[in-house]
């Protein structure tokens, strides 16, 4: 069901109002605070021109999240005032048109304005986080030092990855990239670069002491700023960090396989952390290792073909979407355990080594293979999918559906009749397969399913490419699609006419039998 924007905003207001009832602190900053309340939004553009750096909060007084943020925002304003970093408040209830013009999606929205340009504030809504972020924004993008010893101290004290450049040939690229990535990384260089060419190095935030930095080696003389950005994003990920809503996209962007360790407590995580860091150091650039708190995100196990038995370990190849799970216990055995379940570190190490060598078979989520096909629509499951669609002698039409999908339910009768038509013809039934698979219960990694139903034809022939169906969901349209894109040249419309004639003849015969049965015996 689609909701228009006004309905969504109304719903947000209702939820936020409910949340706000439990909070006595107001969303509106007190008059004696350092927060600047801009009631006349016509002065906003001039405020942007007059202030090189500031943080703006777009809020509504009734908003529960705004009320929670309020005291933190006031504290941050007081702390940042001596640094000449103003914090601004704009009441979007009183200035709705203005806020719509800035595409404010909800409340509160925090935006950083720097040198006339704005970007969303991505930190926590706390005094400490706001202060830390804005102080960092006020510093030069590239930190310049007089000696390598000063840089070493800077790296040691940093909680973020640090990129250090001593390569004069990369200096322009280095500064350009620093402008792009300064929110998430620190950049350092010497006041005077050596005449002999040096390196561009990256120091991850969680690297063990004395760990060598990663050295950037451009693929060619034509390497671009984007090449350096991509390299930094991959190499700067923690050796063994946690994945959550804030870090998820960074790992997805790396495109490297992701090794998940689902842990049950911080103590359990700490027990395995050193060994995971060693594995991550050994396979850097080939595999990322992350921890996942199963008490918060345990349901994610279903997405990577794990049972919700923790601790657990699985490797997810993001490119192929295949999952490789460390074997788990049968449910009965897991339930019968009298002691906390543990995983041996050597089993994790062996699993990783086999994955790197290509010796692991993927873990495929699949319904049981049906012993009998109950209708002419052939039921495919995860373990049979590739075998069925790769049959070089048959044109195979597959409907990928979800049981809850309304469009799928409406299509079902038409799709069943389509299967009945091809099954009716002696020639067609061996050359065309009309199939379906529940894509929510079966792992189908080879198909990009963006919505339900997704319908794909796999034409006969070894080198045939699948074709996604985009037409009307009618018999005639399906007949034309299969005839035009299949390799077996079967005219579904002609078969349908014969199918209809046979059905009509069957009705006539049934009526004749009923007439005979209705006469009384003499």
């Amino acid at each position: 069901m689609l909701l228009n924007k006004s309905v969504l905003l109304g719903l947000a207001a209702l939820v936020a109002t409910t949340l706000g009832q439990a909070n006595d602190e107001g969303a509106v900053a007190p008059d004696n605070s350092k927060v600047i309340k801009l009631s006349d939004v016509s002065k906003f553009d001039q405020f942007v021109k007059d202030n090189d750096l500031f943080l703006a909060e777009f809020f509504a007084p009734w908003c529960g999240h705004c009320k929670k943020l309020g005291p933190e925002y006031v504290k941050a304003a007081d702390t940042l005032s001596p640094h000449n970093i103003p914090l601004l408040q704009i009441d979007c209830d009183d200035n709705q048109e203005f806020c719509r013009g800035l595409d404010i999606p909800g409340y509160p929205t925090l935006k950083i304005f720097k040198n006339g340009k704005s970007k969303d504030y991505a930190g926590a809504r706390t005094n400490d986080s706001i202060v830390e972020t804005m102080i960092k924004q006020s510093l030069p993008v590239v930190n310049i030092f007089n000696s390598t010893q000063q840089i070493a101290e800077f790296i040691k004290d940093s909680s973020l990855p640090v990129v250090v450049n001593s390569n004069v040939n990369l200096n322009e690229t280095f500064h350009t990239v620093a402008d792009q990535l300064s929110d998430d990384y620190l950049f350092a260089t010497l006041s005077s670069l050596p005449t002999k060419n040096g390196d561009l190095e990256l120091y991850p935030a969680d690297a063990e002491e004395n760990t060598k930095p990663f050295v950037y080696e451009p693929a060619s003389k034509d390497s671009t700023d984007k090449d350096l950005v991509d390299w930094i994003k991959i190499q700067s990920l923690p050796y063994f960090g946690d994945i959550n809503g804030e870090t998820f996209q960074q790992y997805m962007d790396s495109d490297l396989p992701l090794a998940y360790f689902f842990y049950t407590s911080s103590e359990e995580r700490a027990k395995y952390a050193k060994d995971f860091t060693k594995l991550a150091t050994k396979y850097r650039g080939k595999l990322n290792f992350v921890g996942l708190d199963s008490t918060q995100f345990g349901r994610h196990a279903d997405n990577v073909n794990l049972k919700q038995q923790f601790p657990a370990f699985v490797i997810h190849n993001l490119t192929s979407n295949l999952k490789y799970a460390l074997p788990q216990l049968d449910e009965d055995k897991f339930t019968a355990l009298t002691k906390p379940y543990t995983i041996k570190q050597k089993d994790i190490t062996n699993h990783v080594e086999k994955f790197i060598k290509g010796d692991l078979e993927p873990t495929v989520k699949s319904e049981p293979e049906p012993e009998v096909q109950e209708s002419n629509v052939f039921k495919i499951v995860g373990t049979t999918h590739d075998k069925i669609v790769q049959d070089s002698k048959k044109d195979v039409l597959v409907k990928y559906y979800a049981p809850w999908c309304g469009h799928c339910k409406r299509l079902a009768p038409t799709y069943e009749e389509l299967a009945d038509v091809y099954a009716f013809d002696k020639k067609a039934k061996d050359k065309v397969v009309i199939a379906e698979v529940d894509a929510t219960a079966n792992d189908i990694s080879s198909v990009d399913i963006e919505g339900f139903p997704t319908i794909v034809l796999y034409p006969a022939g070894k080198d045939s490419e699948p074709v996604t169906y985009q037409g009307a969901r009618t018999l005639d349209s399906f007949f034309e699609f299969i005839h035009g894109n299949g390799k077996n040249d079967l005219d579904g419309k002609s078969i349908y006419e014969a199918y209809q004639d046979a059905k009509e003849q069957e009705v006539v015969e049934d009526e004749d039998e009923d007439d005979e049965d209705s006469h009384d015996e003499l």
Side-chain angles (χ1 to χ4, degrees):
M1 179 177 67
L2 297 176
L3 298 176
N4 63 35
K5 193 170 183 179
S6 63
V7 173
L8 286 172
L9 288 174
L11 181 61
L14 176 62
V15 173
T17 301
T18 304
L19 290 171
Q21 290 172 352
N23 196 325
D24 293 330
E25 299 286 353
V28 182
D31 292 336
N32 61 353
S33 77
K34 298 295 183 180
V35 175
I36 300 171
K37 292 181 285 187
L38 193 67
S39 55
D40 184 358
V41 292
S42 66
K43 297 179 180 179
F44 180 76
D45 288 345
Q46 188 60 47
F47 191 89
V48 173
K49 292 177 183 178
D50 294 342
N51 295 272
D52 293 335
L53 175 66
F54 68 93
L55 181 66
E57 178 198 3
F58 301 88
F59 78 106
W62 46 259
C63 162
H65 294 297
C66 303
K67 291 180 180 181
K68 184 177 180 181
L69 169 63
E72 299 293 318
Y73 201 67
V74 168
K75 290 177 188 175
D78 291 344
T79 304
L80 291 170
S81 180
H83 298 274
N84 295 316
I85 302 174
L87 267 60
L88 191 69
Q89 264 194 345
I90 294 177
D91 185 340
C92 287
D93 255 10
D94 292 341
N95 301 281
Q96 294 185 17
E97 188 175 342
F98 175 78
C99 291
R100 278 196 295 269
L102 292 178
D103 292 326
I104 302 302
Y107 309 129
T109 290
L110 295 171
K111 286 184 176 290
I112 298 170
F113 287 81
K114 186 174 182 179
N115 298 324
K117 297 181 180 180
S118 70
K119 59 184 175 182
D120 290 337
Y121 169 84
R125 295 172 183 170
T126 63
N127 167 40
D128 290 343
S129 182
I130 291 171
V131 169
E132 181 182 351
T133 299
M134 297 309 293
I135 290 292
K136 184 174 182 297
Q137 289 290 326
S138 70
L139 298 174
V141 171
V142 175
N143 298 274
I144 300 174
F145 297 94
N146 294 322
S147 68
T148 55
Q149 181 60 38
Q150 288 178 329
I151 291 180
E153 291 296 322
F154 178 71
I155 294 168
K156 184 179 178 181
D157 294 339
S158 174
S159 60
L160 292 172
V162 181
V163 184
V164 179
N165 183 47
S166 56
N167 185 327
V168 68
N169 292 329
L170 290 172
N171 202 38
E172 184 177 346
T173 298
F174 173 72
H175 279 80
T176 301
V177 170
D179 283 333
Q180 296 179 38
L181 302 180
S182 60
D183 285 349
D184 301 310
Y185 306 88
L186 295 175
F187 293 83
T189 190
L190 290 168
S191 55
S192 178
L193 292 176
T195 53
K196 185 180 178 181
N197 221 12
D199 293 322
L200 190 152
E201 302 170 327
L202 184 141
Y203 296 79
D206 68 338
E208 294 184 333
E209 197 169 347
N210 299 322
T211 299
K212 292 183 179 179
F214 298 106
V215 177
Y216 179 59
E217 297 178 1
S220 69
K221 293 181 180 179
D222 299 324
S223 292
T224 64
D225 298 345
K226 183 179 182 301
D227 294 327
L228 178 56
V229 168
D230 292 344
W231 179 82
I232 289 173
K233 285 185 175 181
I234 290 175
Q235 299 297 353
S236 63
L237 290 169
Y239 284 98
F240 180 54
D242 259 35
I243 190 167
N244 50 44
E246 294 180 2
T247 61
F248 180 80
Q249 196 57 49
Q250 289 177 271
Y251 286 102
M252 295 301 106
D253 289 344
S254 78
D255 283 335
L256 291 177
L258 195 55
Y260 290 93
F261 176 62
F262 288 77
Y263 59 87
T264 61
S265 66
S266 56
E267 292 78 15
E268 184 174 68
R269 186 194 188 285
K271 176 183 173 183
Y272 288 86
K274 186 174 182 180
D275 289 314
F276 273 121
T277 301
K278 287 181 180 178
L279 281 172
T281 303
K282 182 176 181 179
Y283 295 113
R284 190 68 169 182
K286 297 180 180 179
L287 195 62
N288 285 324
F289 289 80
V290 295
L292 192 67
D293 185 349
S294 66
T295 63
Q296 294 187 59
F297 307 110
R299 291 182 63 183
H300 186 61
D302 298 335
N303 299 327
V304 288
N305 299 350
L306 283 173
K307 303 171 189 175
Q308 292 191 36
Q309 300 176 358
F310 306 117
F313 182 74
V314 61
I315 300 172
H316 182 190
N317 187 321
L318 300 176
T319 305
S320 66
N321 198 29
L322 294 174
K323 295 92 175 179
Y324 301 82
L326 190 69
Q328 295 179 282
L329 298 178
D330 292 335
E331 289 292 354
D332 291 342
K333 288 185 177 180
F334 186 80
T335 304
L337 290 174
T338 57
K339 295 181 180 179
Y341 179 59
T342 59
I343 300 176
K344 294 180 180 178
Q345 185 61 49
K346 67 176 183 180
D347 291 337
I348 294 174
T349 301
N350 290 338
H351 194 73
V352 171
E353 290 174 351
K354 287 181 180 179
F355 174 81
I356 295 295
K357 293 177 182 177
D359 292 340
L360 285 183
E361 289 295 323
T363 307
V364 178
K365 179 172 67 174
S366 178
E367 294 177 287
E369 185 175 348
E371 295 180 4
V372 178
Q373 293 291 337
E374 297 180 351
S375 76
N376 288 321
V377 178
F378 192 94
K379 181 178 179 179
I380 292 176
V381 296
T383 51
T384 64
H385 178 271
D386 290 354
K387 178 183 177 181
I388 300 301
V389 302
Q390 291 170 7
D391 191 328
S392 62
K393 296 180 180 180
K394 297 177 181 178
D395 295 322
V396 183
L397 186 73
V398 182
K399 176 182 69 175
Y400 300 89
Y401 74 95
W404 44 259
C405 163
H407 294 298
C408 304
K409 292 175 182 177
R410 285 191 288 275
L411 173 61
T414 302
Y415 203 72
E416 288 170 7
E417 188 172 11
L418 181 69
D420 291 341
V421 170
Y422 285 106
F424 164 79
D425 187 84
K426 290 182 180 180
K427 181 180 178 182
K429 70 178 183 180
D430 293 327
K431 294 189 176 181
V432 174
V433 176
I434 307 299
E436 67 179 9
V437 57
D438 180 352
T440 67
N442 297 278
D443 211 11
I444 312 296
S445 59
S446 58
V447 183
D448 185 14
I449 300 172
E450 296 184 352
F452 298 115
T454 291
I455 302 170
V456 180
L457 177 68
Y458 298 86
K462 291 184 179 180
D463 300 322
S464 296
E465 292 292 326
V467 185
T468 301
Y469 181 72
Q470 303 285 2
R473 291 165 188 169
T474 63
L475 285 175
D476 280 351
S477 186
F478 281 122
F479 291 143
E480 290 174 4
F481 177 72
I482 294 171
H483 190 204
N485 294 280
K487 300 296 184 182
N488 285 317
D489 194 30
L490 290 166
D491 185 359
K493 289 185 178 181
S494 297
I495 298 172
Y496 181 62
E497 289 176 5
Y499 170 78
Q500 286 288 82
D501 290 342
K503 284 186 70 176
E504 289 174 6
Q505 182 61 35
E506 187 178 319
V507 171
V508 170
E509 291 175 357
D510 287 344
E511 289 175 349
D512 289 343
E513 288 181 9
D514 289 341
D515 288 342
E516 290 177 7
D517 292 340
S518 67
H519 293 301
D520 293 332
E521 292 185 5
L522 296 177

